[in-house]
Amino acid sequence: MDSWRTAIVDAGPDHIRVKGFDVLELMQRSSFTDLIFLLHHSRLPSAGERRLVDAILIGVADHGAGAPSCAAARLAASGNRASLSAAVAAGLLTIGDEHGGAGSGCMELIEAGLERAATGGLTFAAAANALVEEARSSGSKLPGFGHRVHSTIDPRVAVLFGLAEQAGLSKDGVRFARALEDAIRDRIKPIPLNIDGALAAVLVDLGFPPPVGRLLFIIGRVAGLCAEVLEEHTREKPMRIKIPVTYDGATAQPVGADPRVGPNDQE
Amino acid sequence: MDSWRTAIVDAGPDHIRVKGFDVLELMQRSSFTDLIFLLHHSRLPSAGERRLVDAILIGVADHGAGAPSCAAARLAASGNRASLSAAVAAGLLTIGDEHGGAGSGCMELIEAGLERAATGGLTFAAAANALVEEARSSGSKLPGFGHRVHSTIDPRVAVLFGLAEQAGLSKDGVRFARALEDAIRDRIKPIPLNIDGALAAVLVDLGFPPPVGRLLFIIGRVAGLCAEVLEEHTREKPMRIKIPVTYDGATAQPVGADPRVGPNDQE
Amino acid sequence: MDSWRTAIVDAGPDHIRVKGFDVLELMQRSSFTDLIFLLHHSRLPSAGERRLVDAILIGVADHGAGAPSCAAARLAASGNRASLSAAVAAGLLTIGDEHGGAGSGCMELIEAGLERAATGGLTFAAAANALVEEARSSGSKLPGFGHRVHSTIDPRVAVLFGLAEQAGLSKDGVRFARALEDAIRDRIKPIPLNIDGALAAVLVDLGFPPPVGRLLFIIGRVAGLCAEVLEEHTREKPMRIKIPVTYDGATAQPVGADPRVGPNDQE
Amino acid sequence: MDSWRTAIVDAGPDHIRVKGFDVLELMQRSSFTDLIFLLHHSRLPSAGERRLVDAILIGVADHGAGAPSCAAARLAASGNRASLSAAVAAGLLTIGDEHGGAGSGCMELIEAGLERAATGGLTFAAAANALVEEARSSGSKLPGFGHRVHSTIDPRVAVLFGLAEQAGLSKDGVRFARALEDAIRDRIKPIPLNIDGALAAVLVDLGFPPPVGRLLFIIGRVAGLCAEVLEEHTREKPMRIKIPVTYDGATAQPVGADPRVGPNDQE
């Protein structure tokens, strides 16, 4: 079997290096968030960059036991007590385009808009209007806007953008996200940026590729899921979750009467 | 890298054989249930053996959208539309000792009881009484008895045992399961065998090892989960599931005031 | 919390019905494959329909320990012995467009082609040529053709189509799949139908919706994964799998020297 | 449906609080590691406590593409490109007692030893000797000692204990872990503490409950898995992983000849 190749970790009998940095040094001098940044770059972050990644991870870590990821993790924990990783994984598996995944989609949207502006010599407003118009007529969604719980302005957005501003890291990504928000308000209706859209804008300015919009949601949310699973184990009995269900399908059928039944084999 | 070894499937450029049987032949002459049996034996089943495995798989395939596995699968499907396997896997991950896993534990219990009777020259009643007494005093659970929904006698039990009887495959495993049921009734209270206990008894008599008690629940339940996930995609909007949650933890705290807060790095 | 709704299973304290059919009756009269068909229809299958679903499930159940799904399941089983469902789930999670998922994509392709022919009054050959040409010029993939191991004609295809023929269930779906194969051979190069393409064609003719192309792969493969996981537990020590890896990233870096490192908080 | 209860997160339309702390404040003043600590305590950590949790998370985040969790994540990513969370989850599912799970088991061992010493008025050495002797005679494993790759002393151990020492947080947990190491060396053979044992000792002294030994491994490792999955997507083609397999099972069997085959239903 051919050797697999990787440029991330060099692990041997007496060393582990991440992107060339010795883990022993990182353990003594850096934070976990530094490492998370390093895993997607070739260097460690500045203090301002780290502050933004910290804020993003904190912002998405846990949105309550009723969030789909937390609920799924608790359901798994209620039936499968032997494996903490199984329960956390179940919660993780609810993360997709509709739950925690909008960050990646929004990063792609922002990057597309910035490219549109650059190559077409357009203002951000014009490029944003074009993208919103295209989405509107094709019925596509615009990831990064609106939220299930925060029906109005998500307060995490202003905090994140404020931190980016303070650190001098608020650049074209953030500007274009605001342009999109304006364009949506003008062409559709006011639908404010949500935390996924805000982190997307900041991550573009931090130079991360779009998938990291989802990967950071995953890393942050796993911290919350771990606590949710532990609480489910500690406070609740197994199999305590009862979901009310109403059946609205076919009425009772006799099996024997169905002429299309092929009887099972006789001995 | 050393080659991995396996005695299950021999797959090459122009053939696939399962336990030596050509898949092309199996596709033409056998049923999926035949293959499931074969995967854990060195031969295909008799018609009676197949009938029992079919009955078990049907008996566990789906217990409604509110069962923990089905609920978790639907939660994942509501947030993660891009991956059907992710949603089905989330449902699968709720399966453990408390949900669908009792079959394996009950098989081990029955096998332990049969061994106790054989080596100690005891009747099944005596061996069963001994096991129940030990569980009672140590506070251990007896897997295979009782059920969340069927508070009385689970009708699937009688059907399964009836089929085993008809096929001449009702042997010591089934007899000992009934002995356990009697011993529990006498020493604790009436707690009838449930479907996990019944399939455990039948699987012991079919010569399967204990883990298969759980593996057959997994195989059967995955069929149900696939339908549940598809219905969630087809009938419901994404992120439609709302779980009511009541918070009962610490009251609101000011962060700045906490003397044990180490402020985040300044630029 | 609003009740969830479902038309699949009606489960109460003393009954379970699938699409209106009593599970107790199904356990006595039907096979697991009958139930799998019923879960996606409103009736049980004819003997011929069941034979085809059996053949499909058998055809995809296990392709050897080295298949990505089986390998991932074994890796999980080697590290996580406490949860059989976790290991099986890990294998299941490798199933996507590239592994086992082509069935759904090919069903969509066939349905698109049949619609193109119907609405445009085209022959199947013309419609197939149009689809292949569009895929070729846009660089899209055509799911259902070619295979990693079977570089030539996959023998499972002829067997499956033969069974469909025998049962009188070989209709437009199969015909169009063959038309696509011809069009690919003429316009690109000979790339034969593989098992995913063949099951797609048959499932279209059996009236299943496209996602079932993937769901049946999941159901069939889980049977194989269960056996693979059990063999890993039974024959191998934990953590026995060693993957050779070659590092080709950045050379060793001193952390202290990096001017962009923000030192971790001092006490 | 009864409301679920939780003491972790209070999430409403206009606020999110974790253990009573406003997420907006945490985003501005704290690090992700602060939040991870808070999720398992009622307060934020001191700088020294945070340094230790950072060191643990960094120490376990990624041990190379060949580690079982990383390998499983890559296999899933190679077949299932549509879902990043599915691939990361597959890697997570390999985490169990044998991979990343020893931290919890070692915490339980240390806590048992400390209790043994306290209630029996024994020295740590005596209590440690007793535990090691019991494990030896019963054939139980002692989690936290030895390692697949680091055959000698794991250098991460000394670094972690050094940090604990510096922070004045090296207490009975660490002392007892060292006592266990001595007892193992004396009674069995020299098997040094590994990273799981070291983090277990430190986490006991930080007042975490045993499951957190595994949960922190999960949180840390997910960061590494995210990078591994992204690299697999970026550098490698789908389905590129080939595992060499040798079949050592039954030889080819003719299906038709087997008298125990029940032929599939005829039309």
Side-chain angles (χ1 to χ4, degrees):
Chain A
M1 173 187 179
D2 289 343
S3 202
W4 293 9
R5 59 178 178 172
T6 180
I8 305 173
V9 165
D10 173 14
D14 52 7
H15 69 273
I16 305 173
R17 284 188 287 266
V18 178
K19 302 294 182 85
F21 290 83
D22 193 310
V23 159
L24 301 179
E25 292 271 358
L26 293 170
M27 286 173 71
Q28 294 176 81
R29 292 170 184 271
S30 303
S31 75
F32 181 47
T33 303
D34 282 324
L35 180 84
I36 290 167
F37 184 97
L38 176 64
L39 281 167
H40 297 280
H41 287 82
S42 57
R43 61 174 178 88
L44 289 156
S46 65
E49 291 170 324
R50 179 175 61 251
R51 165 79 55 86
L52 287 174
V53 178
D54 268 320
I56 288 171
L57 291 168
I58 289 169
V60 303
D62 199 330
H63 204 184
S69 45
C70 300
R74 283 176 175 269
L75 274 157
S78 85
N80 186 353
R81 295 264 156 155
S83 178
L84 291 167
S85 66
V88 175
L92 219 159
L93 289 169
T94 66
I95 293 170
D97 287 344
E98 302 287 347
H99 180 45
S104 296
C106 191
M107 286 178 79
E108 287 169 349
L109 184 67
I110 292 171
E111 287 191 347
L114 291 175
E115 166 133 10
R116 183 81 67 99
T119 56
L122 304 174
T123 59
F124 283 4
N129 272 301
L131 287 183
V132 170
E133 197 52 52
E134 282 157 29
R136 208 168 68 96
S137 48
S138 70
S140 304
K141 288 197 326 202
L142 289 153
F145 297 86
H147 193 273
R148 228 165 53 127
V149 177
H150 293 279
S151 48
T152 53
I153 295 182
D154 184 338
R156 292 172 291 177
V157 172
V159 167
L160 190 57
F161 283 172
L163 290 169
E165 195 70 50
Q166 280 177 41
L169 293 167
S170 178
K171 306 182 201 170
D172 284 353
V174 175
R175 283 185 50 212
F176 196 82
R178 287 299 193 195
L180 279 169
E181 194 178 41
D182 291 341
I184 289 170
R185 183 200 62 218
D186 296 340
R187 291 183 168 281
I188 303 176
K189 65 179 186 180
I191 307 173
L193 263 168
N194 59 38
I195 186 63
D196 294 313
L199 66 83
V202 167
L203 292 176
V204 167
D205 286 337
L206 287 177
F208 285 95
V212 175
R214 181 163 309 188
L215 295 175
L216 282 190
F217 186 93
I218 287 172
I219 294 169
R221 185 51 59 99
V222 163
L225 296 178
C226 284
E228 300 278 342
V229 165
L230 188 55
E231 188 183 41
E232 184 69 26
H233 277 212
T234 310
R235 297 187 70 181
E236 310 293 352
K237 286 197 176 65
M239 297 293 282
R240 59 98 182 175
I241 295 174
K242 301 201 185 322
I243 311 272
V245 178
T246 302
Y247 176 72
D248 65 1
T251 52
Q253 308 266 333
V255 167
D258 185 342
R260 284 161 299 184
V261 172
N264 197 13
D265 279 355
Q266 303 305 317
E267 184 69 57
Chain B
M1 173 186 180
D2 289 342
S3 202
W4 294 7
R5 59 180 177 168
T6 180
I8 305 172
V9 165
D10 173 15
D14 52 8
H15 69 273
I16 305 173
R17 285 188 286 266
V18 179
K19 300 297 183 84
F21 289 84
D22 192 309
V23 159
L24 301 180
E25 292 271 359
L26 293 170
M27 286 173 71
Q28 294 177 81
R29 292 171 184 270
S30 303
S31 75
F32 181 48
T33 303
D34 283 325
L35 181 84
I36 290 168
F37 185 97
L38 176 64
L39 281 167
H40 297 280
H41 287 83
S42 57
R43 61 173 177 88
L44 289 155
S46 65
E49 291 169 325
R50 179 175 60 251
R51 166 78 56 87
L52 287 174
V53 178
D54 268 321
I56 288 171
L57 292 168
I58 289 169
V60 303
D62 198 331
H63 205 182
S69 45
C70 301
R74 283 176 175 268
L75 274 157
S78 85
N80 186 352
R81 295 264 156 157
S83 178
L84 291 167
S85 67
V88 175
L92 219 160
L93 289 169
T94 66
I95 294 170
D97 287 342
E98 302 286 347
H99 180 44
S104 295
C106 190
M107 287 177 78
E108 287 168 350
L109 185 66
I110 292 171
E111 287 190 348
L114 291 175
E115 166 132 10
R116 182 81 65 100
T119 56
L122 305 173
T123 59
F124 283 4
N129 272 301
L131 287 184
V132 170
E133 196 52 53
E134 281 157 29
R136 208 169 68 96
S137 48
S138 71
S140 304
K141 288 197 324 203
L142 289 154
F145 297 86
H147 195 272
R148 226 163 59 125
V149 178
H150 293 278
S151 48
T152 54
I153 295 183
D154 185 338
R156 291 172 292 177
V157 173
V159 166
L160 191 57
F161 282 173
L163 290 169
E165 195 70 49
Q166 280 176 42
L169 292 168
S170 178
K171 306 180 198 170
D172 283 353
V174 175
R175 283 185 50 213
F176 196 83
R178 286 299 193 195
L180 278 171
E181 194 178 40
D182 290 342
I184 289 171
R185 182 201 61 218
D186 295 341
R187 290 182 169 279
I188 304 176
K189 65 179 184 179
I191 307 173
L193 262 169
N194 58 40
I195 186 62
D196 293 315
L199 65 84
V202 168
L203 291 177
V204 166
D205 286 337
L206 287 177
F208 285 95
V212 175
R214 181 164 309 190
L215 295 175
L216 282 190
F217 185 93
I218 287 172
I219 294 169
R221 185 51 59 100
V222 163
L225 295 178
C226 283
E228 300 278 341
V229 165
L230 188 56
E231 188 183 42
E232 184 69 28
H233 277 212
T234 309
R235 297 187 69 181
E236 310 293 352
K237 286 197 176 66
M239 297 292 282
R240 59 97 183 178
I241 296 174
K242 300 199 187 322
I243 311 271
V245 178
T246 302
Y247 176 72
D248 65 1
T251 52
Q253 308 266 334
V255 168
D258 186 341
R260 282 161 301 184
V261 173
N264 196 13
D265 277 355
Q266 302 304 316
E267 185 65 58
Chain C
M1 174 187 179
D2 288 343
S3 203
W4 294 8
R5 60 180 177 168
T6 180
I8 305 173
V9 165
D10 174 14
D14 53 8
H15 69 272
I16 305 173
R17 284 189 286 267
V18 179
K19 301 297 181 81
F21 290 84
D22 192 309
V23 159
L24 302 180
E25 292 271 0
L26 293 170
M27 285 173 72
Q28 295 176 80
R29 293 169 183 272
S30 302
S31 74
F32 181 47
T33 303
D34 282 325
L35 181 86
I36 291 168
F37 184 97
L38 175 65
L39 281 167
H40 297 279
H41 288 82
S42 58
R43 62 172 176 87
L44 288 156
S46 64
E49 291 169 325
R50 180 177 60 251
R51 164 79 55 86
L52 288 174
V53 177
D54 269 319
I56 287 170
L57 292 168
I58 289 169
V60 303
D62 198 333
H63 204 184
S69 46
C70 301
R74 283 176 176 268
L75 274 157
S78 85
N80 187 353
R81 293 265 158 156
S83 178
L84 290 167
S85 67
V88 175
L92 218 160
L93 289 169
T94 66
I95 294 170
D97 288 343
E98 301 287 348
H99 180 45
S104 296
C106 190
M107 287 178 80
E108 288 169 348
L109 185 67
I110 292 171
E111 287 190 345
L114 291 176
E115 165 132 12
R116 181 82 66 102
T119 57
L122 305 174
T123 59
F124 283 5
N129 272 300
L131 288 184
V132 171
E133 198 52 53
E134 281 157 31
R136 207 168 68 94
S137 48
S138 71
S140 304
K141 288 196 327 203
L142 288 155
F145 297 86
H147 194 273
R148 227 166 57 126
V149 178
H150 293 278
S151 49
T152 53
I153 294 181
D154 186 337
R156 292 171 292 177
V157 172
V159 167
L160 189 59
F161 282 173
L163 291 169
E165 194 70 50
Q166 280 176 41
L169 294 168
S170 179
K171 307 180 199 173
D172 284 353
V174 175
R175 281 185 52 211
F176 196 83
R178 287 299 194 194
L180 279 170
E181 194 178 41
D182 291 342
I184 289 171
R185 182 201 62 217
D186 295 341
R187 291 182 168 278
I188 304 176
K189 65 177 185 181
I191 307 174
L193 262 170
N194 58 38
I195 186 62
D196 294 314
L199 67 84
V202 168
L203 291 176
V204 166
D205 286 337
L206 288 178
F208 285 95
V212 175
R214 182 163 308 187
L215 295 175
L216 282 190
F217 185 94
I218 286 172
I219 294 169
R221 185 52 57 100
V222 163
L225 295 178
C226 284
E228 299 278 341
V229 165
L230 188 56
E231 188 184 40
E232 184 67 28
H233 276 211
T234 310
R235 296 188 69 181
E236 310 294 351
K237 287 199 179 58
M239 298 291 284
R240 59 96 183 178
I241 296 174
K242 299 197 187 326
I243 312 272
V245 177
T246 302
Y247 176 72
D248 65 1
T251 52
Q253 307 267 333
V255 165
D258 186 342
R260 283 160 301 186
V261 173
N264 197 12
D265 278 354
Q266 302 307 317
E267 186 65 58
Chain D
M1 173 186 179
D2 288 343
S3 204
W4 294 8
R5 61 180 177 170
T6 180
I8 305 172
V9 165
D10 173 15
D14 52 7
H15 69 273
I16 305 172
R17 285 189 285 267
V18 179
K19 299 297 180 83
F21 289 84
D22 192 310
V23 159
L24 301 180
E25 292 270 0
L26 293 170
M27 285 173 72
Q28 294 177 80
R29 294 170 182 270
S30 302
S31 74
F32 181 47
T33 303
D34 282 326
L35 181 85
I36 291 168
F37 184 96
L38 176 65
L39 281 167
H40 296 279
H41 287 82
S42 58
R43 62 172 177 87
L44 288 156
S46 65
E49 291 169 325
R50 179 175 62 250
R51 165 80 55 87
L52 287 174
V53 178
D54 269 319
I56 287 170
L57 291 168
I58 289 169
V60 303
D62 198 333
H63 204 183
S69 45
C70 301
R74 283 176 176 269
L75 274 157
S78 86
N80 187 353
R81 293 266 157 153
S83 178
L84 291 167
S85 67
V88 174
L92 219 159
L93 289 169
T94 66
I95 294 170
D97 288 342
E98 301 287 347
H99 180 45
S104 296
C106 190
M107 286 178 80
E108 288 170 349
L109 185 67
I110 292 171
E111 287 190 347
L114 291 176
E115 165 134 12
R116 182 81 68 100
T119 57
L122 304 175
T123 60
F124 283 4
N129 272 301
L131 287 184
V132 170
E133 197 51 53
E134 281 157 30
R136 209 169 69 96
S137 48
S138 70
S140 305
K141 287 195 327 204
L142 288 155
F145 297 85
H147 194 274
R148 228 169 52 128
V149 178
H150 293 279
S151 49
T152 54
I153 295 182
D154 186 336
R156 292 172 293 178
V157 171
V159 166
L160 190 58
F161 282 173
L163 291 169
E165 194 70 49
Q166 279 176 43
L169 294 167
S170 179
K171 306 179 199 171
D172 284 353
V174 175
R175 282 184 52 212
F176 196 83
R178 287 299 194 194
L180 278 171
E181 195 178 41
D182 291 342
I184 288 171
R185 182 201 61 219
D186 295 340
R187 290 182 170 280
I188 304 176
K189 66 178 185 180
I191 307 174
L193 262 169
N194 59 38
I195 186 63
D196 293 314
L199 67 83
V202 167
L203 291 176
V204 166
D205 286 337
L206 288 177
F208 285 95
V212 175
R214 181 163 309 186
L215 295 175
L216 283 190
F217 185 93
I218 286 172
I219 294 170
R221 186 52 58 99
V222 163
L225 296 179
C226 283
E228 299 278 342
V229 165
L230 188 55
E231 189 184 39
E232 183 68 29
H233 277 211
T234 311
R235 296 188 69 181
E236 309 294 352
K237 287 200 178 60
M239 298 290 284
R240 59 96 183 178
I241 295 173
K242 299 198 187 324
I243 311 271
V245 177
T246 302
Y247 176 73
D248 66 1
T251 52
Q253 308 267 333
V255 166
D258 186 341
R260 284 161 299 185
V261 173
N264 198 13
D265 280 354
Q266 303 307 314
E267 185 66 57

